[in-house]
Structures are given as C-alpha cells and as structure tokens.
Amino acid sequence: MNIDYIITLVCATSISLLGIVILLRNPTLKANRYFALLALSISVWTIFNMLSGGVSTNKILIDMVFISGIAVGVSMFLFMSNFPNQDVIRNKLTLRFMLTTAFMCALVFHPEFVREVTINEIVTGPLYSIFIIYAVFTLLLIIIAIAKQAKASKDVKSRLRIRLLAWGIMLYAIFAVLTNVIIPLLADDWTSSRFGPVSSLFLVGFVAYSIIKHRLFDIRLVVARTITYLLSIVTVGILYTVAVYGVGALFIDVSGVTYSQRIFFAILALLIALTYSPIIRFFNKLTSRIFFRDSYSTQEVLDQIGKIIVGSIDLHKIQKSTLQVLLEALRPSYGGFILKDYQGNVRVEDFVGESPKFELDDLAVVLKKVGKRTVVYDELEQATSDYSQMLRKSDISLIVPLITKNETIGYFITGPKKSGNIFNQQDKSMINIAANELAVALQNAQRFEEIQAFNITLQEKVNEATRELKVTNKKLIALDEAKDEFISMASH
C-alpha cells in the first residue's frame, strides 16, 4: 500500500476517533458537537484530498476537496466561538459568515473556479482568487474567536488549554493552507497537496496532550477505559493466536506456510478466541468491572428507597441506607447529603465513598447559586465561569435540591461517575423523583429528632425542677419543725 494512503488513513482515523469520543462524552454541549463536526470535516477533507491526489482527474473530486475544506474552516470557527465560553462571537457576524460560506460553496462549482484537472496539476480560473480571500478571512475570524475566548477566560488553566488548542488549530490551518493553496499557486504544482492530511496530526497531538495533561473536555477516564478494554482484547487475542499457531506447529510442517497463510491462521485463532462462549462470559464480567456499568432499573431503585423511607424514622439510617442504593445505581466516586438547620445554615450529614474535597464555606457559596434546580457540572456551558470552577475545585458533579413545598431543606451531592460517563437523562429523572420523596422523609425525620431532643430537654428540666422541689420541701419541713418547737417553748 502506498505510504500516502497509510498516512491519510492514520490521520483520518485518529481525528475521527477523537471526535467520536468527545461527542459521546457529552453530546448536549455545543462545543462537543462542533468539535465532532470539525473532526468529521477534517476526515472527509483528508479522504477527498487522498482520492484526488493523482488517483483520479475527476473534477468532482477536486470540487469536494474545496467544499470539505470550507466545512473545516466553518466548523473550526464555530468550535472556537463556543469553547470554552459559549457564543463569544456576535450572532450577526456569524450569520454573515455563514451566508458568505454558502456563496463560496456555490462558487466552487462554477467553471471559472477550476477550469481543468490533470494529474498533479489543477488549472484554476479567476474565481479562485476569491477563494484565497475567503480562506484568509476565515483564518482571521478563527484568530478573533481564539482571542475572545482567551479574554473571556478568567483562570490560568483555561487560558493554557485555549493556548494549546489554538496552537494545534493554527498549525493545522497554516500547514493545510500552505500545502493546498499557497505552494500550488506559487509553484504551479499541486504535488504538495498530498502532504495536506499530515496537518491534522498537529491538531490531534495538541488536543490529546491537553486532554491528558490539562483535562481538556474531561474525557481522560473515558480514554483510559477504552484503552484498557482494547489492550485486554489485543492481549487475549495475541495469547490465543500464539497458542493455536504454536500447537498447530507441533503436528503440521509450517516451513512452507506463507506469511499470508500465517496471517490467516492468526486471524482464525483470534476469531476462535473471541467467539468461544466461556471467554465471552469472562469478558462480560471483566468489562463490567472495567466499565462500572451504569445500567439499572429506575423503578427498582425507587422501590428500594420507598421501603427505606417507610421502614424507618431515624434520620441517619434513612440517609445511610438511601445513599447505598443511590450510589449502587449511579456509581459516583462519593455521595452524601447536605441539610439545613433551623437557622438556615448548611451542615454536612452522612457521606459514602471517597472523602469529599470541598470546604464548607465554598460549598455554602455554591449552594446559594444552585437555588431550586438540579445542577449537572457536565451540562454547564460556561466551563470557565467562577461557578463551574468552584464545582471543579470541589469535585462536585451533581447537586440535587431537596424541596418540600416551597422550602429547601438541603441537597444531595455526588462526585463524578467512576466510569467517566456523565449523568444522563435516566439518572436525572430518577434522582429528581427520589429527591421529592426523600425531602419529605428527611424533613419528618428531622422534626422527629427535634421532638426527641425537646422531650429529652423537657425531661431534664422536669427532673431538675423535681430536685429543686425536694430541696425546697426539706427546707419547709425543717422550718415547720422549728416553728413547732418555738411554739412549744413559748407555751411553757
């Protein structure tokens, strides 16, 4: 296989996988969707660039290279306009840019844009100069979006992530423009366009480094989990391949076996290993531990919580038992309750799992901003806001208010999921229903505790008053005896 094709496939596959992982991490965020669109556009552009590089002189392929290149520029601009801060570019400017892009796409198919296509040579027309102006204009818009993102970001880490991402995007854009626009225009030779796909490796490299080093997109756990799974599959496959081929060599003369046949035997052995039912059962158990499977029955969880609420009035018993059920279903790193006292101050109640990292003062500030809505960290668009930074610093991923009528009695909070997944719609629906029941149960348990405490206090006061009465009674008896003695003496 030609080395150009291998490089192209590696580049297209790398950026595609990166886009898919980021999209699956949290498809509700604009930035994640635009990055997936950017990754798809770069993959398509890379493939069309390969197909048009000497394989065919079809003008349609050349047109699709330009169209997909335009899509790359648009998706790159949209992504940088929404990551990490959403809509840093005014809507009017974005609309005008999209209208200009639509005009440019129509212009690509005009006969005077590309007049003739031959191997390693493209004869451009006068309209091609408009494309160069458009490419420079797009690059300027991307630079403006990056600058605005850096200005809108308040903390050092966010600026560092933007800087690394900007380097990847700019190196990709500059290398792609040089190899596919500038050099062919100056040298009148389109051979350099074959190296255009290599530019995507700049973007992949910088994004991957930011993910690993600076938690870009917060997908390190997802990547680690995927790598673990792939390594386990590859390792077992290799072991079975070696075992099957080695055993076969004991009974069959393999000196005349060609490399193609050996590869076939290896693939066959791998298929046997992966389709053998005990191995499948083993991998199911193994991947269950690796993936921390999030599947659960909402109704079963709610039924268990209902039994706990009905079966006890003890505040701490309700909290502990409920946490075990909820954390078994959601599988976060930790979870617990924050309840308010009669003065409105928050206090940390029972917790299960890892030790939470938040300070009580910081937590009180966060909870004031929560209000009466459920907050999921991964759904916050403004990833660099003070609020988001507080949640990240405190390692809080989910906050659910416990509300009875119009009173918020406390909150249920958790850390991130162990699996690296985000809290999905099933999780939010289940926890909101459970929160409504728990709020009433916990409030009743609090009232019961207060009544018990009041009864104890009242009993202590009664006992104290009784002791005082006994002392007073003894004094009265002594006085009465003294009076009788005095009267007896006086009568004599």
Side-chain angles (χ1 to χ4, degrees), residues 5 48-62 65 117-122:
Y5 297 163
F48 277 121
N49 198 78
M50 175 192 70
L51 295 176
S52 64
V55 177
S56 172
T57 57
N58 191 332
K59 184 177 179 299
I60 296 298
L61 285 177
I62 301 301
V65 172
V117 178
T118 59
I119 295 178
N120 293 332
E121 185 178 0
I122 299 174

Side-chain angles (χ1 to χ4, degrees), residues 124-143:
T124 58
L127 296 181
Y128 183 72
S129 57
I130 299 177
F131 175 76
I132 296 176
I133 296 172
Y134 170 80
V136 174
F137 174 66
T138 302
L139 192 58
L140 288 174
L141 284 181
I142 293 170
I143 293 172

Side-chain angles (χ1 to χ4, degrees), residues 141-306:
L141 284 181
I142 293 170
I143 293 172
I144 291 171
I146 292 172
K148 285 185 174 292
Q149 288 288 3
K151 186 177 180 181
S153 299
K154 298 179 181 179
D155 62 294
V156 177
K157 286 187 178 180
S158 295
R159 291 197 186 99
L160 182 58
R161 285 193 289 266
I162 293 171
R163 191 179 300 121
L164 288 170
L165 194 59
W167 271 109
I169 288 176
M170 296 309 299
L171 286 174
Y172 164 78
I174 291 170
F175 193 85
V177 170
L178 278 174
T179 55
N180 287 70
V181 179
I182 305 299
I183 294 177
L185 186 66
L186 296 177
D188 197 23
D189 186 353
W190 289 79
T191 306
S192 62
S193 63
R194 295 162 55 189
F195 302 99
V198 179
S199 58
S200 62
L201 293 180
F202 289 117
L203 181 59
V204 173
F206 276 93
V207 171
Y209 178 79
S210 298
I211 288 170
I212 296 169
K213 186 71 175 177
H214 301 290
R215 295 184 66 181
L216 181 67
F217 294 114
D218 282 338
I219 62 170
R220 288 192 301 176
L221 287 175
V222 177
V223 173
R225 184 186 61 186
T226 303
I227 292 173
T228 301
Y229 178 72
L230 291 176
L231 286 176
S232 65
I233 292 293
V234 171
T235 301
V236 174
I238 291 174
L239 290 175
Y240 268 80
T241 300
V242 172
V244 171
Y245 187 75
V247 172
L250 296 175
F251 303 98
I252 303 173
D253 182 13
V254 296
S255 59
V257 179
T258 64
Y259 282 106
S260 298
Q261 291 172 328
R262 293 182 182 184
I263 293 173
F264 172 76
F265 293 148
I267 295 174
L268 183 60
L270 180 60
L271 289 175
I272 293 173
L274 295 178
T275 54
Y276 192 54
S277 58
I279 300 301
I280 294 297
R281 287 196 298 270
F282 168 77
F283 270 112
N284 282 337
K285 294 179 181 179
L286 179 63
T287 52
S288 294
R289 297 191 187 98
I290 295 174
F291 287 165
F292 301 99
R293 283 186 177 173
D294 298 331
S295 58
Y296 60 88
S297 170
T298 299
Q299 192 57 50
E300 287 182 7
V301 174
L302 294 176
D303 289 343
Q304 291 180 50
I305 293 175

Side-chain angles (χ1 to χ4, degrees), residues 438-454:
L438 280 170
V440 176
L442 292 174
Q443 187 179 54
N444 291 337
Q446 277 184 312
R447 297 292 180 266
F448 181 74
E449 275 196 351
E450 291 172 3
I451 292 171
Q452 280 188 320
F454 176 75

Side-chain angles (χ1 to χ4, degrees), residues 22-42:
I22 290 173
L23 179 64
L24 294 178
R25 174 68 179 88
N26 192 351
T28 62
L29 294 182
K30 277 187 178 181
N32 290 27
R33 296 199 298 268
Y34 285 138
F35 187 86
L37 179 62
L38 172 61
L40 176 63
S41 303
I42 293 176

